[in-house]
Amino acid sequence: MLGNLAHGLVERYFRCSDSLTKPDADFDAWFAMAFVEIIDQEGATLRIAGRGADLEKFRFRLHRSMCTLREQLHRAGAVKVVPEQAVFGHFEGRELAGSADLIMQNDLGARAIIDMKWSGIKKYPEKLKENRHLQLAIYGELLRQEKGERPSIAYYILDCAR
């Protein structure tokens, strides 16, 4: 559930037209309101008696994670971020499609596919190191077929903001 809530909030944020230019104070205000909305709509079990600490821990970690993601995108020169971007292509003569969590384009025109995971700080870097990142590799190939360029690929682990 935490992963779905986090994905949903990140998606909502990057659908805002000013997501890459929003000042920190405005982001904090947006986050406070949007977090309450998404919990009310999709995470009401976190409001059950005895779950208050879980809710506050989740709020803190997700806020920190989104702040860090905004900083990293800024440092990377991001000029465009598209959440839940559909990608299409062919594999072995068949149509293939998927939905990338985030596709980022920087000021030099380079693209990156970011697959967000709620947890797995040991698991996902290992997958990259051992060349076992099948979903990211497929999305990268589909974007290459569509746009004619090979994108960078990355995992972003939300619970530890890395």
Side-chain angles (χ1 to χ4, degrees), residues 70-84:
R70 285 170 24 96
E71 290 169 15
Q72 289 177 354
L73 291 170
H74 176 73
R75 284 196 307 264
V79 295
K80 183 177 183 181
V81 176
V82 179
E84 294 302 321

Side-chain angles (χ1 to χ4, degrees), residues 33-34 45 47 50-51 55 63-64 70-71 74 77 79 82 111 115 117 122 131 134-135 137 140 144-145 152 158:
M33 182 185 65
T45 58
R47 294 206 188 279
R51 299 277 325 258
L55 177 61
H63 182 264
R64 180 187 66 174
R70 285 170 24 96
E71 290 169 15
H74 176 73
V79 295
V82 179
R111 293 182 197 275
D115 190 16
K117 303 294 184 190
K122 292 182 182 177
N131 205 25
L134 184 59
Q135 181 183 11
R144 185 200 64 76
Q145 288 178 19
S152 296
L158 292 156

Side-chain angles (χ1 to χ4, degrees), residues 104-122:
M104 183 271 287
Q105 181 177 341
N106 71 10
D107 51 1
L108 301 174
R111 293 182 197 275
I113 297 174
I114 303 165
D115 190 16
M116 296 184 296
K117 303 294 184 190
W118 175 247
S119 62
I121 192 60
K122 292 182 182 177

Side-chain angles (χ1 to χ4, degrees), residues 33 42 44-45 54 56 62 71 74 83 85 92 96 106 122 126 128 143 151 154-156 161:
M33 182 185 65
E42 301 174 35
T45 58
D54 295 334
E56 289 311 310
L62 184 54
E71 290 169 15
H74 176 73
Q85 175 67 52
E92 294 292 322
L96 194 58
N106 71 10
K122 292 182 182 177
E126 283 289 316
L128 287 172
L143 194 63
Y155 288 111
Y156 187 71

